[in-house]
Amino acid sequence: MSSRKKIVILDVMSLAYKAYFAFITRPLKTKAGEPTSAVYGFLTQLIKILEETKPDAVVAAFDSKGKTFRHTMYPAYKSNRAEMPEDMVPQIGRIREVIEAFNIPVMIQPGLEADDLAGITASAGSKIGYNVILLSPDKDYIQLINENVTILRPVRGSNEFEELTPTLVREKYGFEPLQIIDYLALIGDSSDFIPGVPGIGEKTALPLIQKYGTIEAIYENIESVTPAGVKGKLEKGKESAFLSKQLITIVTEGELSFDLSEAHLLEPDIDRIERLFSDLEFRNLFAKVKKLYGTAAAEAPSVEQQIEVQPENAQPEEVFDALKVTYTLITDRAAAKVLAVSLREAGLFVFDTETDGLNPFQAQLAGIAFCTNPGKAAFVAVDGISQAGGLFESAVTDRLSLSDCREIFGPLLADPSVRKVCQNAKFDINILRCQGMPVQGVVFDTMVASYIIDPDQKHNMDDLSRKYLNYSPIPLSALLGSKKEAKRIFDVDLDKLKDYSAEDADITFRLYLKLKALLDESGLNQLAEKIEFPLIEVLSEMELAGVKIDILALQDFSNELEKLIQSLTEEIYSIAGEEFNINSPQQLQKILYGNLRLQPTKKTKTGYSTDAQTLEDLQDAHPIIPALLKFRQVTKLKSTYADALPKLIEPSTQRIHTSFNQTIASTGRLSSVDPNLQNIPIRTEMGKEIRKAFVPSDNNNTLISLDYSQIELRILAAYCGDEFLQESFRKGLDIHTSTAARVFQVDLNKITPDMRRKAKEVNFGIIYGIGAFGLKNRLGITQTEAKNIIDNYFMTFPGIRHFIDQCIAFAKEHGYAETMMKRRRFLPNINSRNAAVRQFEERVAVNMPIQGSAADMIKLAMISIQKELKLLKVKTRMVLQVHDELLFDAPKEEAEELIPILKRLMEEAMPLSVPLVAEAGMGDNWLEAH
């Protein structure tokens, strides 16, 4: 055993959370106020395991952003997780910095959790002769333990570890390590919101596992289970038990992003560790690190030295040589004019702004960095503060005035013939436009290019630099402190600001060269040049245009909601027979499960669940439940929309300005934040009142809405080539009624609303890979009936079955799914031997071509519409995009003539073999227009 190589796998987030809460009563902070509890706790555990185990390799497992295959199987999975504590958020960033400084490889994979990556690594490591050590407090990891895999769990209140081996698991739990899956499937896991079998607790589950071994064996021998009460609970909770087992089972088969057989412990970047530990005030810990690595650490090369010692086969653009750069500081008119001439002569340059805030309407410009070649950049320091409101014009003398900046660089930035490159161009465009410098000619955005190449990777500049250039840029905290207070930017030494900003521009130029080549190699140029890059300017104009809301209407609605809340509160008190805090889960638990004796379903740490899904499941059980659901709906409408939206109005424009995010959704869809205007409710009558408050910019204007009709089903019809589906769309038939007629073999005029509803659920469900279990839940029917409906559907529409099979086969061969415009989403687990993981990616393989093509289509429509509005020189502005809908603020005299043009451009955006239909409306508010 001792001769085997050792690999340590770090369960980073679990360790960080445990450390954070270990210090919750006495949190650690630096003198500057930076919280450090989680970082300190994580580091002490990392250093200790390095000291005690002396591993041959260490890897760190992180959860990926977004949902996993478990969320698809069970939407409520982890839905009870509280928001990350505010003071922990910056600490996760610090922990990531620490891991990078220690040169520990990081494992992140879309669709999988850290547990799964640890499982795959542990299984692979065990097979090639490693002793695998899992450092984690998570009990789910117990299932991975075998003769070659052990767990070290931090012991509460000490800096010690508890080791779990197969023998110790048998002694501690009374069953084999793998049986923890079946045990937890019975009792559930409140921390992950895994339901288990209602009514089965630890005392009941243990003898069941010890006698029968597995969930499957329990149900095979259900007639022998005693007492009768336990048998009844098991029978009632059978479906939940098997679902829970799937959710709890960690993935152990899959591809790794690195060659595990060649993994070895790398020397740390001791200089970077020293800087980090100095910032964090961990002097004693740094002494331990130096002692741990001895003279090797003391002689470890600096970042700059490491950069020079690159592999012989490294490409020039992959290596950032920090020792061969020329960064120039520009502070006067003469030098600025010389720079502007050189930028124009170059024909293409990178630019990057520095500001004292993120709100383009309020931020002051501190400078602009420009780069024309790798290693050559200049930073123009701008006196944004002295120009604010025309005051203090001579307050700062070591910077170029904002008026001089506009005069010298404004024409250059506005010239579309001079090509420009940015990282997150929309932000810089918005900033400069609000400073009186409109920007045209942006031909490349490295953040967007990264998103096109692989939407599931990280797209911020620091991560891209590390990935593609093997270089870690100067952190913003080096200038502004750990809190990164942007307002302090004018206090930063100009030479330091020059180095930081010019380096950003330099890195962006190098990334441009690298990513442009990758787009060429991947055949993704068309997607970039026809859709994503042109869309940047469209989104910028939409964001700056903003949308007006009727504050008085929202205030009136808020008052109505308040009265309704009071009425519902009194109703709930009356039904309950006493007053209590309706928003308190603990008090609500007491009322529902104590006083009213309702049957609980899901367990939590503090008792039984009272979440929305639980109340939905209980709504026929007691009159109090519908009242509670209505209460929650009304209070959310009031707090999230009626009360919150007026506070988000920009004072300088009196409008709300959302930010459209182009690089989040893997399917290509846009998202909206600060605030999210794509989530304004529409399905309920009360929710519709919120849309009523979105109004034209003045009384002479109207709102126009254009909405694609059933776009995803039309794309499905075009893809699969089914003659009946295509003919239904060509004839303008109601697709769900015509589908029901075929599936249920009934004449069109005999289709009942219930039959149409079932057909509609299948039509839309097919796009998302719905199965009999999912359809059963949606329609409230038996699983047998649901299976029959799906079987009939595929027999009726064999082209759809063939399309689904083709999508999955393509993904299995190529490792990704793609849209009509060749947008890709990579599916690394499409050939996994784990059925749950594989099936999740098979569903994505079918959904991505449809939903992604719909996203591409409306983006093309937005680009062509914006171009047409400029050609027509009209005052109409596109102000919102909500997936398949576009909203316009138009002068009334333009609206009637424009609607046919807008409708035509949407319907011609991406021609299909079936007709596209954009439904148009006009009104004095969003609801009326829609």
mmCIF file with all atom_site columns, all heavy atoms in Angstrom, residues 316-317 319-321 324-327 371-377 505-507 509-511 513:
data_model
loop_
_atom_site.group_PDB
_atom_site.id
_atom_site.type_symbol
_atom_site.label_atom_id
_atom_site.label_alt_id
_atom_site.label_comp_id
_atom_site.label_asym_id
_atom_site.label_entity_id
_atom_site.label_seq_id
_atom_site.pdbx_PDB_ins_code
_atom_site.Cartn_x
_atom_site.Cartn_y
_atom_site.Cartn_z
_atom_site.occupancy
_atom_site.B_iso_or_equiv
_atom_site.pdbx_formal_charge
_atom_site.auth_seq_id
_atom_site.auth_comp_id
_atom_site.auth_asym_id
_atom_site.auth_atom_id
_atom_site.pdbx_PDB_model_num
ATOM 1   N N   . PRO A 1 316 ? 3.817  31.054 -30.103 1.00 0.00 ? 316 PRO A N   1
ATOM 2   C CA  . PRO A 1 316 ? 4.099  32.396 -29.598 1.00 0.00 ? 316 PRO A CA  1
ATOM 3   C C   . PRO A 1 316 ? 2.894  33.057 -28.939 1.00 0.00 ? 316 PRO A C   1
ATOM 4   O O   . PRO A 1 316 ? 3.029  33.683 -27.899 1.00 0.00 ? 316 PRO A O   1
ATOM 5   C CB  . PRO A 1 316 ? 4.535  33.160 -30.857 1.00 0.00 ? 316 PRO A CB  1
ATOM 6   C CG  . PRO A 1 316 ? 5.038  32.112 -31.787 1.00 0.00 ? 316 PRO A CG  1
ATOM 7   C CD  . PRO A 1 316 ? 4.221  30.891 -31.512 1.00 0.00 ? 316 PRO A CD  1
ATOM 8   N N   . GLU A 1 317 ? 1.678  32.912 -29.534 1.00 0.00 ? 317 GLU A N   1
ATOM 9   C CA  . GLU A 1 317 ? 0.518  33.579 -28.968 1.00 0.00 ? 317 GLU A CA  1
ATOM 10  C C   . GLU A 1 317 ? 0.072  32.928 -27.670 1.00 0.00 ? 317 GLU A C   1
ATOM 11  O O   . GLU A 1 317 ? -0.758 33.474 -26.963 1.00 0.00 ? 317 GLU A O   1
ATOM 12  C CB  . GLU A 1 317 ? -0.636 33.604 -29.974 1.00 0.00 ? 317 GLU A CB  1
ATOM 13  C CG  . GLU A 1 317 ? -1.213 32.236 -30.312 1.00 0.00 ? 317 GLU A CG  1
ATOM 14  C CD  . GLU A 1 317 ? -0.559 31.623 -31.530 1.00 0.00 ? 317 GLU A CD  1
ATOM 15  O OE1 . GLU A 1 317 ? 0.604  31.971 -31.821 1.00 0.00 ? 317 GLU A OE1 1
ATOM 16  O OE2 . GLU A 1 317 ? -1.222 30.804 -32.210 1.00 0.00 ? 317 GLU A OE2 1
ATOM 17  N N   . VAL A 1 319 ? 2.071  32.234 -25.195 1.00 0.00 ? 319 VAL A N   1
ATOM 18  C CA  . VAL A 1 319 ? 2.997  32.622 -24.140 1.00 0.00 ? 319 VAL A CA  1
ATOM 19  C C   . VAL A 1 319 ? 2.982  34.127 -23.974 1.00 0.00 ? 319 VAL A C   1
ATOM 20  O O   . VAL A 1 319 ? 3.250  34.863 -24.918 1.00 0.00 ? 319 VAL A O   1
ATOM 21  C CB  . VAL A 1 319 ? 4.434  32.137 -24.466 1.00 0.00 ? 319 VAL A CB  1
ATOM 22  C CG1 . VAL A 1 319 ? 5.372  32.538 -23.356 1.00 0.00 ? 319 VAL A CG1 1
ATOM 23  C CG2 . VAL A 1 319 ? 4.442  30.641 -24.691 1.00 0.00 ? 319 VAL A CG2 1
ATOM 24  N N   . PHE A 1 320 ? 2.646  34.591 -22.796 1.00 0.00 ? 320 PHE A N   1
ATOM 25  C CA  . PHE A 1 320 ? 2.637  36.027 -22.522 1.00 0.00 ? 320 PHE A CA  1
ATOM 26  C C   . PHE A 1 320 ? 3.977  36.372 -21.880 1.00 0.00 ? 320 PHE A C   1
ATOM 27  O O   . PHE A 1 320 ? 4.234  36.044 -20.732 1.00 0.00 ? 320 PHE A O   1
ATOM 28  C CB  . PHE A 1 320 ? 1.483  36.378 -21.584 1.00 0.00 ? 320 PHE A CB  1
ATOM 29  C CG  . PHE A 1 320 ? 1.291  37.853 -21.413 1.00 0.00 ? 320 PHE A CG  1
ATOM 30  C CD1 . PHE A 1 320 ? 0.270  38.512 -22.073 1.00 0.00 ? 320 PHE A CD1 1
ATOM 31  C CD2 . PHE A 1 320 ? 2.129  38.586 -20.596 1.00 0.00 ? 320 PHE A CD2 1
ATOM 32  C CE1 . PHE A 1 320 ? 0.089  39.862 -21.913 1.00 0.00 ? 320 PHE A CE1 1
ATOM 33  C CE2 . PHE A 1 320 ? 1.952  39.938 -20.441 1.00 0.00 ? 320 PHE A CE2 1
ATOM 34  C CZ  . PHE A 1 320 ? 0.933  40.579 -21.093 1.00 0.00 ? 320 PHE A CZ  1
ATOM 35  N N   . ASP A 1 321 ? 4.837  37.022 -22.645 1.00 0.00 ? 321 ASP A N   1
ATOM 36  C CA  . ASP A 1 321 ? 6.162  37.378 -22.142 1.00 0.00 ? 321 ASP A CA  1
ATOM 37  C C   . ASP A 1 321 ? 6.088  38.732 -21.466 1.00 0.00 ? 321 ASP A C   1
ATOM 38  O O   . ASP A 1 321 ? 6.148  39.782 -22.101 1.00 0.00 ? 321 ASP A O   1
ATOM 39  C CB  . ASP A 1 321 ? 7.171  37.404 -23.296 1.00 0.00 ? 321 ASP A CB  1
ATOM 40  C CG  . ASP A 1 321 ? 8.602  37.495 -22.759 1.00 0.00 ? 321 ASP A CG  1
ATOM 41  O OD1 . ASP A 1 321 ? 8.763  37.899 -21.605 1.00 0.00 ? 321 ASP A OD1 1
ATOM 42  O OD2 . ASP A 1 321 ? 9.532  37.152 -23.510 1.00 0.00 ? 321 ASP A OD2 1
ATOM 43  N N   . LYS A 1 324 ? 8.859  41.596 -22.009 1.00 0.00 ? 324 LYS A N   1
ATOM 44  C CA  . LYS A 1 324 ? 9.110  42.275 -23.285 1.00 0.00 ? 324 LYS A CA  1
ATOM 45  C C   . LYS A 1 324 ? 7.888  43.081 -23.696 1.00 0.00 ? 324 LYS A C   1
ATOM 46  O O   . LYS A 1 324 ? 7.258  42.819 -24.706 1.00 0.00 ? 324 LYS A O   1
ATOM 47  C CB  . LYS A 1 324 ? 9.484  41.262 -24.364 1.00 0.00 ? 324 LYS A CB  1
ATOM 48  C CG  . LYS A 1 324 ? 10.773 40.512 -24.065 1.00 0.00 ? 324 LYS A CG  1
ATOM 49  C CD  . LYS A 1 324 ? 11.077 39.495 -25.143 1.00 0.00 ? 324 LYS A CD  1
ATOM 50  C CE  . LYS A 1 324 ? 12.366 38.736 -24.823 1.00 0.00 ? 324 LYS A CE  1
ATOM 51  N NZ  . LYS A 1 324 ? 12.666 37.711 -25.846 1.00 0.00 ? 324 LYS A NZ  1
ATOM 52  N N   . VAL A 1 325 ? 7.535  44.042 -22.842 1.00 0.00 ? 325 VAL A N   1
ATOM 53  C CA  . VAL A 1 325 ? 6.383  44.893 -23.141 1.00 0.00 ? 325 VAL A CA  1
ATOM 54  C C   . VAL A 1 325 ? 6.777  46.351 -23.034 1.00 0.00 ? 325 VAL A C   1
ATOM 55  O O   . VAL A 1 325 ? 7.686  46.722 -22.290 1.00 0.00 ? 325 VAL A O   1
ATOM 56  C CB  . VAL A 1 325 ? 5.212  44.609 -22.188 1.00 0.00 ? 325 VAL A CB  1
ATOM 57  C CG1 . VAL A 1 325 ? 4.699  43.188 -22.369 1.00 0.00 ? 325 VAL A CG1 1
ATOM 58  C CG2 . VAL A 1 325 ? 5.592  44.863 -20.754 1.00 0.00 ? 325 VAL A CG2 1
ATOM 59  N N   . THR A 1 326 ? 6.071  47.153 -23.814 1.00 0.00 ? 326 THR A N   1
ATOM 60  C CA  . THR A 1 326 ? 6.261  48.602 -23.741 1.00 0.00 ? 326 THR A CA  1
ATOM 61  C C   . THR A 1 326 ? 4.904  49.245 -23.497 1.00 0.00 ? 326 THR A C   1
ATOM 62  O O   . THR A 1 326 ? 4.050  49.260 -24.382 1.00 0.00 ? 326 THR A O   1
ATOM 63  C CB  . THR A 1 326 ? 6.850  49.151 -25.061 1.00 0.00 ? 326 THR A CB  1
ATOM 64  O OG1 . THR A 1 326 ? 8.072  48.464 -25.342 1.00 0.00 ? 326 THR A OG1 1
ATOM 65  C CG2 . THR A 1 326 ? 7.101  50.650 -24.957 1.00 0.00 ? 326 THR A CG2 1
ATOM 66  N N   . TYR A 1 327 ? 4.718  49.733 -22.279 1.00 0.00 ? 327 TYR A N   1
ATOM 67  C CA  . TYR A 1 327 ? 3.468  50.371 -21.903 1.00 0.00 ? 327 TYR A CA  1
ATOM 68  C C   . TYR A 1 327 ? 3.726  51.860 -21.666 1.00 0.00 ? 327 TYR A C   1
ATOM 69  O O   . TYR A 1 327 ? 4.553  52.220 -20.819 1.00 0.00 ? 327 TYR A O   1
ATOM 70  C CB  . TYR A 1 327 ? 2.878  49.737 -20.647 1.00 0.00 ? 327 TYR A CB  1
ATOM 71  C CG  . TYR A 1 327 ? 2.484  48.287 -20.807 1.00 0.00 ? 327 TYR A CG  1
ATOM 72  C CD1 . TYR A 1 327 ? 2.383  47.452 -19.686 1.00 0.00 ? 327 TYR A CD1 1
ATOM 73  C CD2 . TYR A 1 327 ? 2.183  47.739 -22.046 1.00 0.00 ? 327 TYR A CD2 1
ATOM 74  C CE1 . TYR A 1 327 ? 2.017  46.128 -19.812 1.00 0.00 ? 327 TYR A CE1 1
ATOM 75  C CE2 . TYR A 1 327 ? 1.815  46.407 -22.184 1.00 0.00 ? 327 TYR A CE2 1
ATOM 76  C CZ  . TYR A 1 327 ? 1.736  45.603 -21.064 1.00 0.00 ? 327 TYR A CZ  1
ATOM 77  O OH  . TYR A 1 327 ? 1.373  44.291 -21.196 1.00 0.00 ? 327 TYR A OH  1
ATOM 78  N N   . CYS A 1 371 ? -4.125 49.269 -27.746 1.00 0.00 ? 371 CYS A N   1
ATOM 79  C CA  . CYS A 1 371 ? -3.051 48.346 -28.116 1.00 0.00 ? 371 CYS A CA  1
ATOM 80  C C   . CYS A 1 371 ? -3.150 48.037 -29.604 1.00 0.00 ? 371 CYS A C   1
ATOM 81  O O   . CYS A 1 371 ? -4.245 47.757 -30.109 1.00 0.00 ? 371 CYS A O   1
ATOM 82  C CB  . CYS A 1 371 ? -3.148 47.063 -27.301 1.00 0.00 ? 371 CYS A CB  1
ATOM 83  S SG  . CYS A 1 371 ? -1.871 45.842 -27.698 1.00 0.00 ? 371 CYS A SG  1
ATOM 84  N N   . THR A 1 372 ? -2.018 48.110 -30.309 1.00 0.00 ? 372 THR A N   1
ATOM 85  C CA  . THR A 1 372 ? -1.997 47.827 -31.743 1.00 0.00 ? 372 THR A CA  1
ATOM 86  C C   . THR A 1 372 ? -1.201 46.581 -32.096 1.00 0.00 ? 372 THR A C   1
ATOM 87  O O   . THR A 1 372 ? -1.324 46.056 -33.199 1.00 0.00 ? 372 THR A O   1
ATOM 88  C CB  . THR A 1 372 ? -1.400 49.015 -32.516 1.00 0.00 ? 372 THR A CB  1
ATOM 89  O OG1 . THR A 1 372 ? -0.107 49.315 -31.965 1.00 0.00 ? 372 THR A OG1 1
ATOM 90  C CG2 . THR A 1 372 ? -2.295 50.229 -32.418 1.00 0.00 ? 372 THR A CG2 1
ATOM 91  N N   . ASN A 1 373 ? -0.386 46.109 -31.156 1.00 0.00 ? 373 ASN A N   1
ATOM 92  C CA  . ASN A 1 373 ? 0.417  44.908 -31.360 1.00 0.00 ? 373 ASN A CA  1
ATOM 93  C C   . ASN A 1 373 ? 0.686  44.268 -30.009 1.00 0.00 ? 373 ASN A C   1
ATOM 94  O O   . ASN A 1 373 ? 0.722  44.973 -28.991 1.00 0.00 ? 373 ASN A O   1
ATOM 95  C CB  . ASN A 1 373 ? 1.771  45.238 -32.016 1.00 0.00 ? 373 ASN A CB  1
ATOM 96  C CG  . ASN A 1 373 ? 1.626  45.544 -33.497 1.00 0.00 ? 373 ASN A CG  1
ATOM 97  O OD1 . ASN A 1 373 ? 1.319  44.665 -34.295 1.00 0.00 ? 373 ASN A OD1 1
ATOM 98  N ND2 . ASN A 1 373 ? 1.838  46.802 -33.859 1.00 0.00 ? 373 ASN A ND2 1
ATOM 99  N N   . PRO A 1 374 ? 0.882  42.958 -29.975 1.00 0.00 ? 374 PRO A N   1
ATOM 100 C CA  . PRO A 1 374 ? 1.223  42.329 -28.699 1.00 0.00 ? 374 PRO A CA  1
ATOM 101 C C   . PRO A 1 374 ? 2.461  42.980 -28.078 1.00 0.00 ? 374 PRO A C   1
ATOM 102 O O   . PRO A 1 374 ? 3.463  43.206 -28.751 1.00 0.00 ? 374 PRO A O   1
ATOM 103 C CB  . PRO A 1 374 ? 1.512  40.870 -29.095 1.00 0.00 ? 374 PRO A CB  1
ATOM 104 C CG  . PRO A 1 374 ? 0.735  40.675 -30.349 1.00 0.00 ? 374 PRO A CG  1
ATOM 105 C CD  . PRO A 1 374 ? 0.785  41.984 -31.068 1.00 0.00 ? 374 PRO A CD  1
ATOM 106 N N   . GLY A 1 375 ? 2.347  43.332 -26.818 1.00 0.00 ? 375 GLY A N   1
ATOM 107 C CA  . GLY A 1 375 ? 3.475  43.909 -26.099 1.00 0.00 ? 375 GLY A CA  1
ATOM 108 C C   . GLY A 1 375 ? 3.605  45.408 -26.219 1.00 0.00 ? 375 GLY A C   1
ATOM 109 O O   . GLY A 1 375 ? 4.462  46.004 -25.582 1.00 0.00 ? 375 GLY A O   1
ATOM 110 N N   . LYS A 1 376 ? 2.751  46.036 -27.035 1.00 0.00 ? 376 LYS A N   1
ATOM 111 C CA  . LYS A 1 376 ? 2.847  47.487 -27.217 1.00 0.00 ? 376 LYS A CA  1
ATOM 112 C C   . LYS A 1 376 ? 1.485  48.105 -26.945 1.00 0.00 ? 376 LYS A C   1
ATOM 113 O O   . LYS A 1 376 ? 0.535  47.907 -27.706 1.00 0.00 ? 376 LYS A O   1
ATOM 114 C CB  . LYS A 1 376 ? 3.308  47.824 -28.628 1.00 0.00 ? 376 LYS A CB  1
ATOM 115 C CG  . LYS A 1 376 ? 3.558  49.316 -28.849 1.00 0.00 ? 376 LYS A CG  1
ATOM 116 C CD  . LYS A 1 376 ? 4.072  49.584 -30.248 1.00 0.00 ? 376 LYS A CD  1
ATOM 117 C CE  . LYS A 1 376 ? 4.338  51.077 -30.451 1.00 0.00 ? 376 LYS A CE  1
ATOM 118 N NZ  . LYS A 1 376 ? 4.814  51.372 -31.823 1.00 0.00 ? 376 LYS A NZ  1
ATOM 119 N N   . ALA A 1 377 ? 1.376  48.861 -25.845 1.00 0.00 ? 377 ALA A N   1
ATOM 120 C CA  . ALA A 1 377 ? 0.098  49.458 -25.468 1.00 0.00 ? 377 ALA A CA  1
ATOM 121 C C   . ALA A 1 377 ? 0.330  50.812 -24.815 1.00 0.00 ? 377 ALA A C   1
ATOM 122 O O   . ALA A 1 377 ? 1.421  51.104 -24.325 1.00 0.00 ? 377 ALA A O   1
ATOM 123 C CB  . ALA A 1 377 ? -0.660 48.535 -24.523 1.00 0.00 ? 377 ALA A CB  1
ATOM 124 N N   . ALA A 1 505 ? -5.323 45.662 -22.178 1.00 0.00 ? 505 ALA A N   1
ATOM 125 C CA  . ALA A 1 505 ? -5.439 45.849 -23.630 1.00 0.00 ? 505 ALA A CA  1
ATOM 126 C C   . ALA A 1 505 ? -4.492 44.910 -24.373 1.00 0.00 ? 505 ALA A C   1
ATOM 127 O O   . ALA A 1 505 ? -4.847 44.329 -25.410 1.00 0.00 ? 505 ALA A O   1
ATOM 128 C CB  . ALA A 1 505 ? -5.151 47.304 -23.987 1.00 0.00 ? 505 ALA A CB  1
ATOM 129 N N   . ASP A 1 506 ? -3.279 44.763 -23.848 1.00 0.00 ? 506 ASP A N   1
ATOM 130 C CA  . ASP A 1 506 ? -2.279 43.875 -24.448 1.00 0.00 ? 506 ASP A CA  1
ATOM 131 C C   . ASP A 1 506 ? -2.778 42.430 -24.451 1.00 0.00 ? 506 ASP A C   1
ATOM 132 O O   . ASP A 1 506 ? -2.730 41.724 -25.473 1.00 0.00 ? 506 ASP A O   1
ATOM 133 C CB  . ASP A 1 506 ? -0.984 44.004 -23.641 1.00 0.00 ? 506 ASP A CB  1
ATOM 134 C CG  . ASP A 1 506 ? 0.184  43.238 -24.253 1.00 0.00 ? 506 ASP A CG  1
ATOM 135 O OD1 . ASP A 1 506 ? 0.025  42.649 -25.343 1.00 0.00 ? 506 ASP A OD1 1
ATOM 136 O OD2 . ASP A 1 506 ? 1.263  43.242 -23.637 1.00 0.00 ? 506 ASP A OD2 1
ATOM 137 N N   . ILE A 1 507 ? -3.285 41.978 -23.298 1.00 0.00 ? 507 ILE A N   1
ATOM 138 C CA  . ILE A 1 507 ? -3.802 40.614 -23.193 1.00 0.00 ? 507 ILE A CA  1
ATOM 139 C C   . ILE A 1 507 ? -4.964 40.413 -24.153 1.00 0.00 ? 507 ILE A C   1
ATOM 140 O O   . ILE A 1 507 ? -5.077 39.371 -24.823 1.00 0.00 ? 507 ILE A O   1
ATOM 141 C CB  . ILE A 1 507 ? -4.231 40.320 -21.739 1.00 0.00 ? 507 ILE A CB  1
ATOM 142 C CG1 . ILE A 1 507 ? -2.997 40.187 -20.842 1.00 0.00 ? 507 ILE A CG1 1
ATOM 143 C CG2 . ILE A 1 507 ? -5.080 39.053 -21.667 1.00 0.00 ? 507 ILE A CG2 1
ATOM 144 C CD1 . ILE A 1 507 ? -3.302 40.098 -19.373 1.00 0.00 ? 507 ILE A CD1 1
ATOM 145 N N   . PHE A 1 509 ? -5.460 41.880 -26.981 1.00 0.00 ? 509 PHE A N   1
ATOM 146 C CA  . PHE A 1 509 ? -4.949 41.752 -28.350 1.00 0.00 ? 509 PHE A CA  1
ATOM 147 C C   . PHE A 1 509 ? -4.417 40.339 -28.591 1.00 0.00 ? 509 PHE A C   1
ATOM 148 O O   . PHE A 1 509 ? -4.682 39.726 -29.632 1.00 0.00 ? 509 PHE A O   1
ATOM 149 C CB  . PHE A 1 509 ? -3.840 42.782 -28.613 1.00 0.00 ? 509 PHE A CB  1
ATOM 150 C CG  . PHE A 1 509 ? -3.607 43.022 -30.085 1.00 0.00 ? 509 PHE A CG  1
ATOM 151 C CD1 . PHE A 1 509 ? -4.062 44.182 -30.690 1.00 0.00 ? 509 PHE A CD1 1
ATOM 152 C CD2 . PHE A 1 509 ? -2.948 42.093 -30.869 1.00 0.00 ? 509 PHE A CD2 1
ATOM 153 C CE1 . PHE A 1 509 ? -3.870 44.407 -32.046 1.00 0.00 ? 509 PHE A CE1 1
ATOM 154 C CE2 . PHE A 1 509 ? -2.740 42.308 -32.223 1.00 0.00 ? 509 PHE A CE2 1
ATOM 155 C CZ  . PHE A 1 509 ? -3.208 43.468 -32.810 1.00 0.00 ? 509 PHE A CZ  1
ATOM 156 N N   . ARG A 1 510 ? -3.689 39.809 -27.627 1.00 0.00 ? 510 ARG A N   1
ATOM 157 C CA  . ARG A 1 510 ? -3.143 38.456 -27.769 1.00 0.00 ? 510 ARG A CA  1
ATOM 158 C C   . ARG A 1 510 ? -4.275 37.420 -27.826 1.00 0.00 ? 510 ARG A C   1
ATOM 159 O O   . ARG A 1 510 ? -4.206 36.444 -28.578 1.00 0.00 ? 510 ARG A O   1
ATOM 160 C CB  . ARG A 1 510 ? -2.187 38.164 -26.623 1.00 0.00 ? 510 ARG A CB  1
ATOM 161 C CG  . ARG A 1 510 ? -0.942 39.048 -26.610 1.00 0.00 ? 510 ARG A CG  1
ATOM 162 C CD  . ARG A 1 510 ? -0.198 38.913 -25.282 1.00 0.00 ? 510 ARG A CD  1
ATOM 163 N NE  . ARG A 1 510 ? 0.835  39.933 -25.124 1.00 0.00 ? 510 ARG A NE  1
ATOM 164 C CZ  . ARG A 1 510 ? 2.137  39.710 -25.257 1.00 0.00 ? 510 ARG A CZ  1
ATOM 165 N NH1 . ARG A 1 510 ? 2.568  38.521 -25.589 1.00 0.00 ? 510 ARG A NH1 1
ATOM 166 N NH2 . ARG A 1 510 ? 3.007  40.692 -25.074 1.00 0.00 ? 510 ARG A NH2 1
ATOM 167 N N   . LEU A 1 511 ? -5.303 37.629 -26.990 1.00 0.00 ? 511 LEU A N   1
ATOM 168 C CA  . LEU A 1 511 ? -6.456 36.729 -27.021 1.00 0.00 ? 511 LEU A CA  1
ATOM 169 C C   . LEU A 1 511 ? -7.182 36.817 -28.368 1.00 0.00 ? 511 LEU A C   1
ATOM 170 O O   . LEU A 1 511 ? -7.668 35.810 -28.889 1.00 0.00 ? 511 LEU A O   1
ATOM 171 C CB  . LEU A 1 511 ? -7.422 37.071 -25.884 1.00 0.00 ? 511 LEU A CB  1
ATOM 172 C CG  . LEU A 1 511 ? -6.964 36.689 -24.473 1.00 0.00 ? 511 LEU A CG  1
ATOM 173 C CD1 . LEU A 1 511 ? -7.926 37.264 -23.436 1.00 0.00 ? 511 LEU A CD1 1
ATOM 174 C CD2 . LEU A 1 511 ? -6.858 35.172 -24.311 1.00 0.00 ? 511 LEU A CD2 1
ATOM 175 N N   . LEU A 1 513 ? -5.871 37.373 -31.305 1.00 0.00 ? 513 LEU A N   1
ATOM 176 C CA  . LEU A 1 513 ? -5.133 36.577 -32.284 1.00 0.00 ? 513 LEU A CA  1
ATOM 177 C C   . LEU A 1 513 ? -5.403 35.084 -32.095 1.00 0.00 ? 513 LEU A C   1
ATOM 178 O O   . LEU A 1 513 ? -5.609 34.339 -33.061 1.00 0.00 ? 513 LEU A O   1
ATOM 179 C CB  . LEU A 1 513 ? -3.635 36.851 -32.164 1.00 0.00 ? 513 LEU A CB  1
ATOM 180 C CG  . LEU A 1 513 ? -3.180 38.298 -32.466 1.00 0.00 ? 513 LEU A CG  1
ATOM 181 C CD1 . LEU A 1 513 ? -1.691 38.445 -32.196 1.00 0.00 ? 513 LEU A CD1 1
ATOM 182 C CD2 . LEU A 1 513 ? -3.503 38.680 -33.913 1.00 0.00 ? 513 LEU A CD2 1
#
